[in-house]
Amino acid sequence: MRPIKNIHGDKAPHWVGDGFYVKTLINHLDDNPHFNYSHTDPFLLFDYGKPTTFDPNPNYKTQPHGVGQHPHKGFETVTIAYEGEISHADSVGGQGIIQKGDVQWMTAGRGIMHEEFHSKAFGQCGGVFSMVQLWVNLPSAHKLTDPNYQSIKRADLPIVELIDSSNPDHQTTIGKAAIIAGAWQEIRGAANTFTPINLWDIELHTAGATTLKVPNTHNTLLLVQEGELLVNGTSVSAGNLIQFDAPTQHRTDGQAQQTLATDNIELHYPATENGKQAPVKLLLLSGEPIGEPVAGYGPFVMNTQEELRQTFRDYQTGNFVK
Ligand code: MN
């Protein structure tokens, strides 16, 4: 079992632009000795917007809620739209709408400018909005890769049925995991990644128990988005991010991911007295640490201060994304 190291409680939310009301659960710029980038590598930033109701926006055509043109360089942004829709457009000609349940895996690489807004349809009607944006670092060998998108529809995510391990004879399905990235035994996630990463969107709807298996080389985190359950025997409720102990092994060069030993994370979803189970929603993040120095500021994440200064010079002199 991979023990829990820390549970990071509810944080105050803040606005990103005027469209995204999020809690920043991971931030590589934090210098907390117990929870900094060395504990979350390769995940740089993790913003979670819990379900929040927006009124219709009367100016949805000309002044959509969100964030206008801004740059990114040196990493990837992963956006999951749980409720509502996000429209995006960028400097390399990509544009589209991330619809409910869809995932956009955007590689900023050597540089991209883009905008992120509520879609026109959502702005016109309003409603419940909930999303995740995760920043995944790129190793130095790929920091300057070409910008790219992976637009992943919910229907294209491989789904694993979770069988109740507390009563295996009955083969009761207690929930499911959508494999956005990584591998669940032989099942490969939908997204291509530059370094080994698992991103699993998990939902439990029926009381029971199940086990998650993560490589013992990965930094591992679990967000409880909705509901309450026991994780390795500890009760954890919505809004909390679980940080597990550091990886016990480092992968040696050339060692295949599939040959790695795994650690167990035990999930137990207790039955309620009235028999009504409010769904538990979880997001598991695990990744092999890149282990390189990080020089980051705002939307740029490089390896050295000089690379960061050069990026700012390029941006200020109009030489970014040329
Ligand atoms: Mn952005």
Side-chain angles (χ1 to χ4, degrees), residues 70-72 77 106 114 116 133 135:
H70 62 278
H72 292 293
T77 65
M106 183 185 87
H114 78 159
E116 296 157 279
Q133 189 166 92
W135 291 11

Side-chain angles (χ1 to χ4, degrees), residues 49-276:
K50 72 175 184 182
T52 303
T53 300
F54 283 80
D55 291 334
N57 172 7
N59 304 313
Y60 70 93
K61 283 183 183 164
T62 52
Q63 290 175 287
H65 293 319
V67 193
Q69 285 283 320
H70 62 278
H72 292 293
K73 181 174 182 174
F75 59 96
E76 302 183 286
T77 65
V78 180
T79 306
I80 307 171
Y82 286 105
E83 298 284 350
E85 295 181 340
I86 301 158
S87 70
H88 66 97
D90 69 61
S91 54
V92 293
Q95 62 172 331
I97 294 174
I98 309 168
Q99 292 178 311
K100 178 177 168 166
D102 296 349
V103 180
Q104 181 201 61
W105 199 291
M106 183 185 87
T107 306
R110 63 183 157 77
I112 199 165
M113 294 282 292
H114 78 159
E115 57 184 40
E116 296 157 279
F117 290 114
H118 293 182
S119 73
K120 285 194 166 62
F122 181 83
Q124 185 176 16
C125 300
V128 177
F129 198 91
S130 176
M131 52 85 72
V132 154
Q133 189 166 92
L134 184 63
W135 291 11
V136 178
N137 205 3
L138 287 168
S140 56
H142 297 293
K143 269 210 184 292
L144 304 185
T145 191
D146 289 342
N148 184 45
Y149 280 107
Q150 300 174 66
S151 297
I152 303 165
K153 306 301 285 182
R154 174 68 32 171
D156 295 331
L157 293 175
I159 303 293
V160 177
E161 303 262 307
L162 304 176
I163 306 297
D164 183 11
S165 58
S166 66
N167 197 352
D169 291 345
H170 285 72
Q171 289 288 305
T172 305
T173 299
I174 63 164
K176 61 191 176 189
I179 312 303
I180 298 170
W184 181 297
Q185 296 171 15
E186 293 80 38
I187 296 168
R188 308 294 308 176
N192 294 313
T193 64
F194 284 85
T195 60
I197 284 167
N198 287 319
L199 190 60
W200 302 339
D201 190 40
I202 299 165
E203 183 173 328
L204 305 178
H205 50 69
T206 301
T210 193
T211 304
L212 309 179
K213 291 179 180 294
V214 294
N216 66 356
T217 53
H218 283 204
N219 276 326
T220 302
L221 302 139
L222 183 68
L223 172 66
V224 180
Q225 291 174 257
E226 294 180 31
E228 187 170 356
L229 78 167
L230 298 168
V231 179
N232 293 346
T234 299
S235 181
V236 189
S237 57
N240 286 290
L241 179 70
I242 302 167
Q243 171 195 2
F244 293 91
D245 272 4
T248 49
Q249 279 201 0
H250 294 281
R251 189 157 65 112
T252 51
D253 284 347
Q255 185 182 5
Q257 186 74 11
Q258 290 77 5
T259 65
L260 296 174
T262 56
D263 294 326
N264 289 348
I265 295 171
E266 304 293 348
L267 307 182
H268 178 218
Y269 183 28
T272 57
E273 282 180 16
N274 65 9
K276 288 184 181 161

Side-chain angles (χ1 to χ4, degrees), residues 5-19:
K5 185 178 182 210
N6 230 322
I7 298 173
H8 300 275
D10 247 359
K11 289 192 168 187
H14 63 95
W15 285 95
V16 176
D18 65 355

